[in-house]
């Protein structure tokens, strides 16, 4: 049995980005730990969704624990930083925001968990945080440094396969329009993920997309039933989210790994 620590910026990121590899690791007998940098304080929530006096962060913490149970995570930790909001927003620079946190300080917090868990594998994000969100970029910086401090041997940078995304969106656009599903704006694919040539690991998680989608549904304050993630048909969801993509330094060129915990 090995330990996988999956590090994310906000509640719900874990379900979307690494839900498949988390559940796969759990079902194969490994220990799964979820670490989240913030409590998602600046997420958007529909009017009337929260109960009187309830703060959004409180609901998002509850949702994270519910999603973690679905994905097989046996421990959930929050690093204690505040959601920085989208790039360019004034919230980026507010005291306590993850974006303004000293990398060394935040890395020490994460490294303490890695050491305690004796983690063999850590997932973070690519150097653009997938799509340029400041907290996701900070996950990359903090995660790589924490792995250095803790001596974590395998670090995988979660990303999106930009080339597959372009192919898939073209294929899906016509059927989605017929079904009345609104797609995200991918007019500038250069901002999303990495080209296929830079990706070194592709993990087939089609057997776990049911858990992945259920974990997304647990984040009801952020992912509604009408959302892109939950409105698409099951077969389309499996095609879109049935592979999770990673970059591992020293691997490649091309896809050289299909299992983050192979041999552990």
């Amino acid at each position: 049995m090995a330990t996988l620590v999956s590090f994310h910026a906000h509640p719900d990121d874990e379900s979307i980005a690494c839900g498949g590899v988390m559940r796969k690791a759990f079902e194969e007998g490994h220990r799964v730990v979820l670490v989240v940098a913030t409590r998602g304080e600046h997420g958007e929530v529909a009017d009337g969704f929260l109960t009187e006096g309830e703060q959004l962060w409180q609901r998002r913490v509850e949702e994270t624990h519910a999603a973690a149970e679905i994905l097989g995570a046996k421990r959930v930790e929050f690093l204690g930083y505040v959601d920085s909001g989208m790039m360019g927003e004034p919230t980026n620079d507010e005291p306590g925001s993850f974006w303004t946190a000293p990398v060394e300080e935040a890395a020490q917090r994460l490294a303490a968990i890695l050491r305690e868990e004796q983690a063999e594998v850590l997932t973070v994000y690519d150097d653009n945080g997938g799509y340029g969100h400041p907290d996701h970029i900070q996950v990359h910086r903090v995660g790589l440094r924490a792995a250095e401090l803790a001596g974590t041997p395998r670090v995988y940078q979660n990303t999106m396969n930009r080339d597959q995304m372009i192919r898939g969106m073209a294929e899906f656009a016509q059927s989605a329009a017929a079904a009345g599903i609104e797609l995200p704006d991918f007019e500038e694919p250069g901002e999303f993920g990495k080209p296929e040539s830079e990706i070194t690991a592709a993990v087939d998680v089609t057997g776990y997309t049911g858990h992945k989608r259920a974990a997304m549904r647990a984040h009801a304050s952020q992912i509604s039933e009408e959302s892109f993630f939950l409105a698409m048909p099951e077969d389309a969801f499996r095609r879109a989210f049935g592979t999770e993509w990673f970059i591992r330094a020293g691997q490649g060129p091309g896809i050289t790994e299909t299992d983050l915990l192979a041999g552990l």
Side-chain angles (χ1 to χ4, degrees):
M1 182 183 74
T3 297
L4 164 70
V5 174
S6 197
F7 180 38
H8 296 275
H10 317 101
D12 79 19
D13 290 336
E14 81 293 332
S15 302
I16 299 167
C18 293
V21 297
M22 291 172 68
R23 182 70 196 191
K24 179 176 184 293
F26 164 74
E27 293 202 5
E28 292 175 353
H30 301 292
R31 178 169 170 83
V32 178
V33 175
L34 172 61
V35 181
V36 190
T38 81
R39 298 180 297 187
E41 292 86 350
H42 294 302
E44 297 181 359
V45 62
D47 290 341
F49 185 91
L50 301 175
T51 60
E52 185 176 355
E54 183 182 22
Q55 299 297 309
L56 176 58
W57 69 263
Q58 294 173 308
R59 179 63 67 92
R60 297 195 74 178
V61 166
E62 291 178 4
E63 291 173 343
T64 301
H65 283 278
E69 184 172 355
I70 293 167
L71 298 177
K74 296 304 182 184
R75 178 181 179 184
V76 178
E77 294 288 346
F78 291 86
L79 290 190
Y81 295 101
V82 177
D83 184 354
S84 305
M86 298 299 289
M87 186 67 83
E89 294 293 322
T91 51
N92 294 174
D93 301 318
E94 289 182 356
S97 73
F98 189 44
W99 183 238
T100 63
V103 169
E104 194 71 14
E105 171 200 280
Q108 289 285 1
R109 295 187 189 185
L110 177 58
I113 297 170
L114 295 174
R115 292 190 193 100
E116 184 177 338
E117 290 289 343
Q118 297 182 326
E120 289 92 343
V121 180
L122 172 67
T123 72
V124 297
Y125 303 141
D126 66 36
D127 58 4
N128 191 44
Y131 63 99
H133 192 294
D135 287 338
H136 287 233
I137 295 171
Q138 191 77 323
V139 161
H140 171 83
R141 297 170 178 171
V142 169
L144 293 189
R145 178 57 180 148
E148 290 179 351
L149 293 170
T152 304
R154 294 190 191 180
V155 182
Y156 291 92
Q157 301 173 41
N158 177 257
T159 190
M160 293 173 278
N161 184 329
R162 186 184 302 162
D163 298 317
Q164 188 215 40
M165 183 185 301
I166 294 170
R167 293 191 296 266
M169 292 304 294
E171 176 185 334
F172 186 55
Q174 186 173 2
S175 58
I181 299 173
E182 183 179 353
L183 300 179
D185 182 6
F186 291 141
E187 291 183 3
E188 299 182 20
E191 297 180 359
F192 291 86
K194 294 291 182 178
E196 211 161 51
S197 60
E198 295 183 25
I199 296 172
T200 67
V203 184
D204 180 357
V205 297
T206 51
Y208 311 101
T209 52
H211 294 92
K212 187 168 180 172
R213 204 170 198 185
M216 291 183 189
R217 186 168 276 115
H219 290 283
S221 71
Q222 303 299 302
I223 305 176
S224 74
E225 291 296 325
E226 293 74 37
S227 70
F228 166 70
F229 299 107
L230 299 183
M232 69 170 66
E234 291 290 342
D235 60 340
F237 184 89
R238 282 193 295 272
R239 289 199 303 273
F241 296 99
T243 302
E244 292 175 355
W245 309 92
F246 300 86
I247 299 168
R248 181 183 173 197
Q251 301 298 306
I255 304 297
T256 60
E257 295 182 286
T258 57
D259 183 352
L260 307 192
L261 293 109
L264 297 176

